[in-house]
């Protein structure tokens, strides 16, 4: 058999769990959860995206995207505006408060990431980032109709 001697799945799962725990710890005081952060990041990069396109980008069904947006809108971080071209559609955009909270969250997450990846030097972290970006690129090609996927992968 032509199989690699090392498998990455268990290590990636362990690293993801550590990162999620650290992320939740630093996001909680900001009133955010990781799913909120992903949505805010997409909205920063694609302001004025339709609610339906955001749902597709985040791979969430309609009920879940409505709940997520209700959380963010209730906190004043996003706003939904009726499209002038199609009154049935809502455009979602980041508010000034949302952009500020996102910037704060990204700084807090950078510190959490530094803690989780402390065993790696700068060059190794860059290599890890590059490899993860390469490994997740297939996710984007599978969703060819989702033009924002590459931007989301590049940001995360």
């Amino acid at each position: 058999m032509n199989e690699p001697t090392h498998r990455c799945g268990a290590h990636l799962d362990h690293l993801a769990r550590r990162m999620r725990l650290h992320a939740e710890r630093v996001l909680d005081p900001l009133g955010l959860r990781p799913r909120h952060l992903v949505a805010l990041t997409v909205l920063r990069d694609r302001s004025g995206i339709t609610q339906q396109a955001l749902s597709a980008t985040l791979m969430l069904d309609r009920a879940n995207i409505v709940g997520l947006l209700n959380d963010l809108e209730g906190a004043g971080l996003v706003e939904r505006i009726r499209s002038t071209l199609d009154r049935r559609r809502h455009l979602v955009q980041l508010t000034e408060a949302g952009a500020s909270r996102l910037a704060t969250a990204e700084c807090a997450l950078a510190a959490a990431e530094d803690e989780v990846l402390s065993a790696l030097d700068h060059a190794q972290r860059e290599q890890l980032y590059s490899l993860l970006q390469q490994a997740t690129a297939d996710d984007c090609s599978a969703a060819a109709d989702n033009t924002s996927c590459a931007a989301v992968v590049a940001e995360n």
Side-chain angles (χ1 to χ4, degrees), residues 86-156:
D86 184 347
R87 303 271 311 145
R88 296 169 294 177
R89 292 184 183 264
H90 282 95
L91 303 177
V92 185
Q93 61 186 29
L94 199 59
T95 64
E96 191 173 310
S100 176
R101 182 90 52 94
L102 177 58
T104 302
E106 287 176 331
C107 288
L109 285 171
E113 186 174 301
D114 285 345
E115 198 174 321
V116 172
L117 299 177
S118 63
L120 303 178
D121 65 26
H122 178 73
Q124 290 170 321
R125 289 181 195 197
E126 287 299 315
Q127 183 180 18
L128 176 62
Y129 177 81
S130 179
L131 292 169
L132 291 171
Q133 196 173 30
Q134 184 178 347
T136 57
D138 285 348
D139 292 345
C140 292
S141 61
D145 60 329
N146 184 354
T147 58
S148 70
C149 187
V152 172
V153 170
E155 285 297 319
N156 294 321

Side-chain angles (χ1 to χ4, degrees), residues 41-52:
T41 301
V42 170
L43 291 171
R44 178 192 57 208
D45 298 338
R46 295 191 60 200
S47 185
I49 187 174
T50 65
Q51 189 168 311
Q52 183 178 9

Side-chain angles (χ1 to χ4, degrees), residues 56-71:
T57 299
L58 299 177
M59 294 182 229
L60 292 174
D61 63 38
R62 287 183 182 184
N64 288 328
I65 196 70
V66 168
L68 174 67
L69 291 175
N70 286 345
D71 290 348

